[in-house]
């Protein structure tokens, strides 16, 4: 049984305090009767109307977050803020991140309460490609491209699966349509000292990108996820911003994972 105010929040009618005002104004009815009390409990079969219009809470929500540096991919943490704190107040309370990005990694993170889709996206058997942009300390050559292609020993029982490493052009003028290869010049490093790369992984081991570069004697200085399967980071989202996935994005993700 859920409280009426919580239900209205989850249906996207506003924050807890906005919903309280809505209730006070007498426009909310449960089974045809006006209800003013936010704490009223609802059962599965209750019909909720706002200004005569029936509302419902969708069972599943899917959010795309452009994760910023400094947030942990968890639902709670004692020390650091979590990615859940970046979602708008109206978002459901049972969302969780699908997989993890390191605290200092930015970019695409999916949050949902759809356990089945999360499982399908993370399952090694059904895996989807994950593409990352990175800036590296150390020289990156064709030999590295080959080493990534062959799979690397990163200290796990098994070598990594083949990964596609692309060295991005040094030019500050990027190719058209390559805006995701964003460059951020850090204060103490010239761009020349930090080659830019794109890497496509077929699996998602702990710290995998960083460990793959360590295995070839380099260091990841900045890491950002650009895509997960067909789902690409919406570059109009500033770091820390989130938006719900479109119906089409959800449909395609489900199709490609077989969910
Ligand atoms: N690989 C890493 O090393 N870190 C991430 O956050 C994601 C992939």
């Amino acid at each position: 049984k859920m409280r009426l105010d919580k239900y209205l929040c989850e249906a996207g009618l506003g924050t807890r305090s906005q919903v309280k005002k809505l209730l006070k104004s007498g426009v909310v009815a449960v089974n045809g009767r006006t209800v003013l009390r936010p704490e009223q409990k609802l059962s599965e079969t209750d019909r909720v109307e706002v200004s005569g219009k029936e509302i419902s809470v969708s069972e599943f929500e899917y959010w795309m977050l452009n994760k910023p540096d400094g947030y942990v991919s968890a639902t709670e943490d004692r020390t650091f803020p979590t990615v859940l704190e970046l979602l708008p107040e109206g978002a459901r309370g049972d969302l969780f991140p699908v997989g993890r990005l390191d605290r200092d990694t930015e970019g695409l993170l999916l949050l949902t309460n759809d356990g089945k889709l999360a499982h399908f996206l993370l399952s090694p058997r059904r895996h989807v490609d994950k593409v990352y942009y990175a800036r590296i300390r150390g020289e990156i050559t064709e030999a590295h491209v080959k080493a990534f292609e062959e799979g690397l020993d990163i200290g796990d029982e098994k070598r990594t699966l083949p990964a596609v490493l692309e060295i991005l052009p040094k030019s500050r003028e990027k190719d058209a349509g390559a805006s995701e290869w964003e460059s951020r010049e850090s204060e103490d490093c010239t761009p020349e000292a930090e080659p830019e790369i794109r890497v496509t992984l077929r699996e998602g081991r702990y710290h995998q990108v960083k460990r793959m570069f360590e295995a070839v004697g380099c260091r990841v200085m900045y890491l950002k996820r650009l895509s997960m399967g067909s789902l690409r980071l919406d570059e109009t989202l500033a770091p820390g911003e989130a938006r719900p996935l479109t119906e089409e994005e959800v449909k395609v993700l489900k199709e490609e994972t077989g969910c």
Side-chain angles (χ1 to χ4, degrees), residues 103-167:
R103 185 157 51 89
D104 61 355
T105 300
E106 298 190 357
L108 176 66
L109 189 64
L110 175 65
L111 295 116
T112 186
N113 57 338
D114 182 343
K116 187 170 171 213
L117 180 65
H119 176 74
F120 275 53
L121 276 168
L122 297 175
S123 149
R125 269 197 310 123
R126 299 172 202 270
H127 103 104
V128 294
D129 280 354
K130 293 166 197 92
V131 182
Y132 295 86
Y133 160 89
R135 283 198 308 275
I136 309 296
R137 180 157 301 164
E139 200 193 347
I140 304 292
T141 66
E142 285 305 315
H144 293 111
V145 174
K146 195 139 192 297
F148 273 59
E149 205 175 277
E150 284 167 359
L152 287 167
D153 178 357
I154 58 171
D156 291 345
E157 216 171 283
K158 284 191 181 160
R159 294 173 83 82
T160 63
L161 292 174
V164 178
L165 175 60
E166 296 163 78
I167 306 169

Side-chain angles (χ1 to χ4, degrees), residues 2 36 47 64 67 176 188 200 227 230-233 248:
M2 192 191 279
L36 302 170
R47 215 182 72 237
M64 172 190 296
K67 180 191 170 299
D188 53 352
T200 305
S227 64
S230 62
L231 189 65
R232 287 173 63 107
L233 176 66
E248 182 63 18

Side-chain angles (χ1 to χ4, degrees), residues 41-91:
K41 291 275 190 344
L42 294 175
S43 69
E44 297 265 332
T45 53
D46 286 338
R47 215 182 72 237
V48 181
E49 286 168 332
V50 175
S51 306
K53 200 169 156 254
E54 185 165 0
I55 59 148
S56 63
V57 173
S58 59
E59 192 185 356
F60 295 128
E61 274 186 19
Y62 307 87
W63 289 85
M64 172 190 296
L65 170 70
N66 185 358
K67 180 191 170 299
D69 181 15
Y71 286 75
V72 289
S73 303
T75 52
E76 47 185 35
D77 193 89
R78 282 167 171 239
T79 318
F80 299 104
T82 74
V83 289
L84 285 184
E85 293 168 38
L86 295 163
L87 294 180
E89 258 195 68

Side-chain angles (χ1 to χ4, degrees), residues 100-102 105 132 201 205 207-211 223:
R100 280 164 192 267
L101 289 179
D102 296 337
T105 300
Y132 295 86
L201 300 187
R205 301 191 202 172
H207 291 332
Q208 183 163 349
V209 176
K210 292 175 185 166
R211 286 160 70 210
L223 186 61

